[in-house]
Amino acid sequence: MKWKNQITDLEAYKPGKTIDEVKKRFGLDSIVKLASNENPFGYSPKVDALLEQFDGSYTLYPDGYATYLREEVAAFLNVDEKQLIFTNGTDELIQIISRALLEEGKNTVMATPTFSQYRHNAVVDGAEVREIPLNNGDHDLEAMLAAIDEHTAVVWVCSPNNPTGTYIPKEPLEAFLNKVPKDVLVVLDEAYAEYVVASDYYDSTALIRQYSNLIVTRTFSKIYGLASFRVGYGIANEAIIQALEPVRPPFNTNVLGQFVAKEAIKDQAFIKECREKNREGLKQFYAFCEKNGLHYYPSQTNFILIDFQCDSDEVFEYVMSRGYIIRSGKALGFPTSVRITVGTHDQNIGVIAAMEDFLQNKARS
């Protein structure tokens, strides 16, 4: 087979452990998954009622233009319908952007550590990857600017950043965007934007009107709790959307995903409730870290990265044996840290107790 040279050593994305896998391994009856930043409070209660009323056909292809979802999202964001592109999760949108712009002879700039799929797709498409180390968990925007040259096609900015949970305030972000060449696409990944409570966070829809080389990516998989339905979307000026549309696969968002996302975005009372509960959960983890002298990054997301100053797999394995699946930081670029999704109040108490036990056992050994 004539495989691309660049994929021969490329590893596939490794998702976290499944609940059934952990149950079987440790002989446990109950498992709490806090590894993939899913919403522990589920999704809008309106979704179940809506699915009971679904009278569409599973035989026919879905609406390739996502018409009704498009109308609802455009109205909610106060943007034109032609400023939106809908995809099978934001993973596919990242892939579409990479496929449309990156190739051998071009380069792309991003932070590190950040969301792995920026780099992954760039490598598949043969582009040079320029990774700029985070500065105390934050994007080093000045260093990222310095890495841009005439061959740069895409710059990736994740705010809030995964896996640190840190965000970029409005003022430095605008200063950065003002200096990026207009022929370089800036991708602003806002998968966790709905969790942000920081007063100096920017309005990305306003930035879209101000910067012609900016696209914002969002998802229904996080705070909306619809990860299984796989619906993501991008917001940009019409010219960018029109350029990307030919690369988008036809019928890429499924009929049920479009159906439920359309209703979920209407229920902002549920989103507000989830955001408030998430902030309370983060306080539980902050208290645990401060009590035990553990470094963490203040988070604007529904997860927290905690440094245990030891092999993160040790923490991961111990906590998993206690019935809680978290994420080892090794694959995330933080080999002594773990990333934990903020759960319900009781789930947080349980996983914190497991981590307390780990620290006590570690101290005795």
Side-chain angles (χ1 to χ4, degrees), residues 3 7 10 29 56 61 68 95 103 126 134 138 159 164 179 188 191 209 262 290-292 332:
W3 303 113
I7 74 165
L10 193 63
D29 295 324
Y61 286 111
Y68 297 119
Q95 185 180 59
E103 60 189 344
L134 295 174
D138 296 323
S159 178
T164 57
K179 295 176 183 177
L188 184 55
R209 292 187 283 272
K262 174 176 65 71
E290 287 157 12
K291 172 188 172 185
N292 291 284
L332 305 175

Side-chain angles (χ1 to χ4, degrees), residues 150-211:
E150 66 273 19
H151 301 296
T152 305
V154 184
V155 175
W156 306 89
V157 178
C158 190
S159 178
N161 186 48
N162 180 9
T164 57
T166 54
Y167 75 104
I168 304 171
K170 179 177 184 289
E171 190 173 312
L173 179 61
E174 289 186 346
F176 172 77
L177 291 171
N178 285 332
K179 295 176 183 177
V180 175
K182 298 306 178 189
D183 63 346
V184 175
L185 183 68
V186 178
V187 183
L188 184 55
D189 186 339
E190 287 194 324
Y192 300 93
E194 293 88 355
Y195 283 107
V196 176
V197 298
S199 59
D200 57 351
Y201 196 61
Y202 49 84
D203 176 359
S204 57
T205 55
L207 294 179
I208 291 296
R209 292 187 283 272
Q210 189 175 350
Y211 299 98

Side-chain angles (χ1 to χ4, degrees), residues 109 111 132-135 137-146 168 176:
V109 176
I132 308 303
L134 295 174
N135 181 6
D138 296 323
H139 282 60
D140 189 338
L141 296 178
E142 288 301 317
M144 291 176 71
L145 284 170
I168 304 171
F176 172 77

